[in-house]
Amino acid sequence: MSIFVDESTRVVYQGLTGSQGRYYGLLNRDYGTQVVAGTNPRKAGTDVDGVPIFATVADAAAATGATVSCVFIPAPGVPGAVLEAAEAGMELVVVITEGVPAHDEAFLFNKLRRDHPDVRLLGPNCPGIISPGKCNIGITAGHIAEPGGPVGIVSRSGTLTYQALYELKQQQIGVTTCVGIGGDPVPGTTFVDCLAAFEADPETRAVMMIGEIGGSAEEEAADFIAGHMTKPVVAYVAGVTAPPGKKMGHAGAIVSGGKGTAAAKMEALTSAGARVGQNPTEAGELMVEIVASL
Amino acid sequence: MDLFEHQGKELFARYGLPVPTGEVAFSPDDAVAAASRLGLPVVVKAQVHTGGRGKAGGVKLAADLDAVRSHAAGILGLDISGHIVRRLWIEQASDIAEEYYASFTLDRSARKHLGMLSAEGGVDIETVAARDPDAIARIHIDPVNGLTQPACRQWVQAARIPGSVADVVADVLVTLYGAYVDADADLVEVNPLIVTSSEDVVLLDSKVTLDANSAFRHDDYAQYDATQTRDEREQAAHAKRLQYVGLDGSVGVIANGAGLAMSTVDVVNQVGGSPANFLDIGGGANAEVMAGALEVINNDPAVRAILINIFGGITRGEEIANGIIEATRRVDIDSPIVIRLDGTNAAEGRELLEPHLGGALMMEPTMLDAARRAVELAGAANGQVQP
C-alpha cells in the first residue's frame, strides 16, 4: 500500500498549459500517473498532448473523476487555485510552486481547516508525492525510486529526497510512498501527518525523515515518534553549520533567536528513539541496517 | 528583508500610526540641517540592521546643534555588532511616561499570527521573559478572522496596560496588525511603544522584517531591497538572483536545492574543510545560472577549491554539464572544480563533461568523495597537508 495516492488516483493539473506544468505533467503521465485533465479558463476545450483542458477544476472533476489536483500556477495565483480545487472537492492538492508569501500560506492553512477540513494540502514549494511504480505527482524523477516497500519517506527538501530515494535504490530497497512536504514556513502537510499515515500503512515498515533548520516541525515529529510510532524511524537534519538569522534557500530554513537549530532537532529526534544520520549517506546506511533487521 | 528603523516608521505612518517626526541624515551637516528644521531637542539614532544600538552608543539625545553635530560625527562609522553606521535618523525627542512592548510575527508551530504585548517595554524582551514570563501577554490570531477589537481589548487587559490608555493602545494595535498583514511582514516589533505625559501613544522604535516572497504585490519592496546589508559576494550573487549566503571558509559550494546545498556545506565541514558559502542554484537552473554561480564563487578571494554537487530532479544533467562547460569558457576559473553529478539525465551530463576532465576539472561519484577531494585541494592550495 501507499499513503495519500495510488495507481487509481486521477489527477488534474492546474497550470498544465504553462511550460513547467506541461513538462512535468506529461513526465508524470509517462511515469504512469493518471493525468486526466488540465485547467485554464482561457483554453477550455483544447488539449495538451491529448490531455483535455477545462475552464475550472470543478468542470475537470465532473468530466474526468479527478480527485487530486497538482498546482503549477505562479505564486500570486496559488491561494485562488488551492481554494478552487478545495471547492471542487479535491481530496489532495499538491502545490509545487515556490515563492508563495508566508501570510498566504497561513491564511490558506486556516481557511482549509475551517471550510474544507477533509482537503489535504501538500506544499507549497514541494517536489510532490511519488508512490513508486504507481503514481508520481510533481517534479521527482521517477526512475530514481525503487517500487515496493518497506520504507516510507517524508522530507522538507526536494533534492535531499531524491538523494534518499537514490541511496535506497542502490541497495534495492523499495519505497511505499515518498512525500515532499516542502521547505516553507507553513506547509499544508506536516511530518506528523505523514508519520501517522505511515504508521497506519501495513506495507510501510520503516520511515526515513529528512528535516532541516527552522521552525519546530522536527521537534513535533519527535514528540509523535516517542508517543505513537511503533515503526523504526531514521532521520537526517540539514543545516548543522548554517549561520543564525539567514534564510538558507528555503523560506522556512532559518535559525532565529537561537531556535530551530539542527542540533536541537537531532537531539529531540534521538531522544525520541529515532536513529539520526550525520549526512544523507549515513542516514541511508542506517536505513539499510534497519531494513536488513526487519 | 530587514528595514531600517526609519523605513519601518515611515511604513507605520502610511497606516496612520503615530510616530515621531524625523529625517534621514548621511553626514553631520545633514544632521544639523535636519535638527534645525525639526526643532530641538532631537535624538540622533544610528540606522543599522541589528539590535543593541543604545548600548553601543548609537542613540544620543541632543539639546543643541553643537551636540547634534558631535553626536552625528561620533555615531557615523561606528561598528555595531559588525554593522558600520552609514545613515542616521534625526527625530524630535519624545517625552516618555511609560514604555510598553508590542510585536506581531508568524508562529509557525501554531500556524497562526502571534501578538506579544507587555507593559514592561524599553528593555530587551528576552530579559522580561526570563524575569517574569507573565509580564508578556500572548495572543494567537487566526489569519482568516484577523484581530478583532474585543479580542484586542482582552489582550491589552491581560498585558496589564493601565485602563486610562487601554482603548487607545488597543486601537493602535489593531491598526498595527493591519499594517503587519498588509505589508506581508515576517516581524513587526515596537519597543518601546510609549505613552507620553499627555497620554498620547507613540511608536518610538520599529523593527520590521518583510517577506521577500511578497515582493510581487509591493512596489515599495524594491527600495528596501536596495538598502539590505550584503557583503560584496552576496551583492554580486543577489544581482544574479542566486540564493547565496557568505561563509568564511575556502571551499566554494554550488548545489541545486536548498536542502542539498545545506547538506553539502555540512559535509564539507564534516570531512574537515570549511565552506566559503551556501549557494543554491535552485530548480530550473540552466547554463546561464550555473555560469553566474561559478563567476560569483570565482570572485571570492578566499576560495581555493569549488565543489559542485548536483542531484538532478528539476534540473537536468545536460543543462548542468553545459553550464559548467560554458562557464569555464566564459570565466578564467582560478580554483580546481570537483563535480558530483547524479539524478535525471546524469549519464548524459557526465558524457558531455568527460572530454573536459583533467587539469582543474574533476568528477567524483559520491557527495562524500567529492567533498573530501575538494577539501584536500583547498588544503593543498593553502599549503597544508591534509591527513
Side-chain angles (χ1 to χ4, degrees):
Chain A
M1 259 173 73
S2 48
I3 65 167
F4 307 145
V5 295
D6 60 27
E7 59 272 33
S8 68
T9 304
R10 297 167 75 79
V11 192
V12 50
Y13 286 68
Q14 294 172 262
L16 189 69
T17 52
S19 65
Q20 296 281 302
R22 180 190 171 95
Y23 179 73
Y24 291 103
L26 295 180
L27 272 184
N28 288 174
R29 185 180 66 176
D30 291 346
Y31 186 79
T33 308
Q34 297 205 39
V35 178
V36 295
T39 62
N40 182 333
R42 290 178 310 280
K43 294 185 179 167
T46 65
D47 72 277
V48 169
D49 202 36
V51 181
I53 302 300
F54 298 88
T56 64
V57 178
D59 288 353
T64 65
T67 57
V68 170
S69 144
C70 183
V71 177
F72 276 99
I73 305 271
V78 163
V82 171
L83 291 177
E84 183 194 334
E87 278 154 21
M90 294 298 105
E91 294 161 11
L92 171 66
V93 184
V94 181
V95 181
I96 308 301
T97 313
E98 63 182 315
V100 177
H103 281 240
D104 287 357
E105 293 180 357
F107 177 88
L108 267 180
F109 184 93
N110 288 283
K111 176 87 174 158
L112 290 178
R113 184 146 73 178
R114 190 185 76 182
D115 297 342
H116 305 280
D118 299 329
V119 177
R120 170 171 301 290
L121 172 66
L122 180 59
N125 190 17
C126 80
I129 178 168
I130 175 170
S131 185
K134 297 176 180 170
C135 179
N136 184 9
I137 302 171
I139 60 176
T140 304
H143 65 270
I144 59 169
E146 179 84 9
V151 177
I153 300 178
V154 55
S155 171
R156 272 173 74 186
S157 148
T159 35
L160 284 179
T161 313
Y162 310 151
Q163 174 85 37
L165 286 167
Y166 173 78
E167 307 240 354
L168 293 178
K169 184 170 173 131
Q170 304 298 300
Q171 308 290 330
Q172 285 98 44
I173 294 174
V175 171
T176 54
T177 303
C178 173
V179 191
I181 58 175
D184 275 0
V186 191
T189 293
T190 63
F191 280 126
V192 171
D193 297 331
C194 297
L195 290 172
F198 282 132
E199 176 69 14
D201 172 37
E203 277 179 21
T204 301
R205 294 165 66 203
V207 180
M208 178 173 282
M209 177 187 142
I210 299 165
E212 62 190 29
I213 53 163
S216 56
E218 290 78 6
E219 285 85 343
E220 287 148 26
D223 284 346
F224 184 85
I225 291 167
H228 305 280
M229 288 290 286
T230 60
K231 299 175 183 180
V233 177
V234 171
Y236 170 68
V237 180
V240 178
T241 44
K246 299 276 188 182
K247 282 186 184 173
M248 304 298 277
H250 282 158
I254 179 166
V255 172
S256 41
K259 297 213 172 69
T261 64
K265 291 168 186 297
M266 294 200 291
E267 169 67 33
L269 288 161
T270 306
S271 305
R275 297 189 65 186
V276 180
Q278 295 301 309
N279 56 60
T281 308
E282 196 180 305
E285 287 163 1
L286 288 171
M287 185 51 92
V288 171
E289 269 177 45
I290 283 176
V291 170
S293 70
L294 284 173
Chain B
M1 201 160 54
D2 297 325
L3 267 55
F4 287 125
E5 173 201 0
H6 76 87
Q7 292 170 324
K9 284 180 168 170
E10 285 154 1
L11 186 144
F12 291 163
R14 292 208 292 276
Y15 293 91
L17 287 159
V19 292
T21 307
E23 289 183 32
V24 176
F26 293 95
S27 67
D29 284 347
D30 280 359
V32 169
S36 334
R37 284 188 292 268
L38 292 164
L40 293 159
V42 294
V43 184
V44 180
K45 304 180 87 174
Q47 299 296 289
V48 280
H49 293 127
T50 187
R53 290 178 302 170
K55 280 179 206 144
V59 179
K60 297 254 159 106
L61 183 67
D64 57 56
L65 293 179
D66 285 344
V68 172
R69 182 176 298 281
S70 65
H71 289 330
I75 294 172
L76 282 166
L78 206 62
D79 181 335
I80 303 180
S81 316
H83 295 251
I84 308 297
V85 182
R86 309 226 179 272
R87 69 169 69 197
L88 303 169
W89 177 241
I90 314 298
E91 174 176 277
Q92 285 175 352
S94 294
D95 141 43
I96 304 173
E98 298 289 340
E99 295 184 291
Y100 306 149
Y101 170 96
S103 71
F104 292 103
T105 187
L106 176 62
D107 181 342
R108 292 168 60 171
S109 304
R111 298 165 191 105
K112 287 185 163 51
H113 298 303
L114 171 67
M116 294 207 287
L117 181 63
S118 177
E120 297 176 31
V123 291
D124 188 38
I125 196 65
E126 274 84 30
T127 312
V128 177
R131 192 178 57 215
D132 177 12
D134 292 341
I136 303 167
R138 288 159 215 269
I139 183 173
H140 275 108
I141 305 157
D142 186 321
V144 179
N145 304 326
L147 178 60
T148 62
Q149 280 283 358
C152 190
R153 269 161 221 280
Q154 271 187 6
W155 178 37
V156 167
Q157 205 174 13
R160 308 173 196 159
I161 304 287
S164 58
V165 291
D167 284 357
V168 186
V169 169
D171 288 346
V172 163
L173 290 173
V174 167
T175 309
L176 184 63
Y177 175 76
Y180 160 79
V181 171
D182 193 62
D184 275 301
D186 286 340
L187 169 73
V188 159
E189 186 182 64
V190 180
N191 190 19
L193 174 71
I194 63 157
V195 180
T196 65
S197 50
S198 48
E199 298 214 322
D200 288 325
V201 174
V202 178
L203 287 70
L204 198 60
D205 198 359
S206 87
K207 186 175 177 194
V208 175
T209 306
L210 302 174
D211 176 5
N213 279 348
S214 308
F216 66 81
R217 59 186 172 210
H218 297 285
D219 292 340
D220 54 337
Y221 274 29
Q223 93 193 47
Y224 307 135
D225 183 66
T227 55
Q228 293 305 295
T229 309
R230 298 185 181 99
D231 69 22
E232 213 172 295
R233 303 173 299 167
E234 287 174 333
Q235 189 55 46
H238 182 72
K240 292 180 192 289
R241 307 175 71 88
L242 294 167
Q243 298 283 346
Y244 178 100
V245 176
L247 303 169
D248 45 20
S250 58
V251 179
V253 170
I254 298 175
N256 68 325
L260 189 65
M262 269 186 272
S263 189
T264 309
V265 165
D266 289 350
V267 167
V268 166
N269 262 297
Q270 280 168 14
V271 300
S274 60
N277 64 279
F278 162 98
L279 200 171
D280 166 18
I281 54 171
N286 52 24
E288 186 70 21
V289 177
M290 189 59 169
L294 274 172
E295 278 169 23
V296 167
I297 296 215
N298 193 53
N299 286 337
D300 181 346
V303 167
R304 296 283 175 269
I306 301 172
L307 171 55
I308 301 178
N309 187 8
I310 305 294
F311 200 98
I314 199 166
T315 313
R316 281 167 285 170
E318 306 96 305
E319 291 182 278
I320 301 305
N322 281 327
I324 296 164
I325 296 160
E326 166 72 22
T328 45
R329 275 198 202 114
R330 220 192 277 178
V331 205
D332 231 354
I333 310 276
D334 304 322
S335 312
I337 301 174
V338 184
I339 305 160
R340 179 264 182 161
L341 179 57
D342 230 316
T344 303
N345 296 5
E348 288 87 338
R350 290 191 199 129
E351 205 170 300
L352 284 173
L353 280 167
E354 201 64 46
H356 302 270
L357 297 179
L361 204 60
M362 359 194 155
M363 203 148 56
E364 289 288 342
T366 71
M367 182 163 159
L368 277 170
D369 288 339
R372 282 196 193 100
R373 185 87 178 265
V375 169
E376 216 173 270
L377 289 163
N382 280 336
Q384 297 163 2
V385 180
Q386 293 290 315

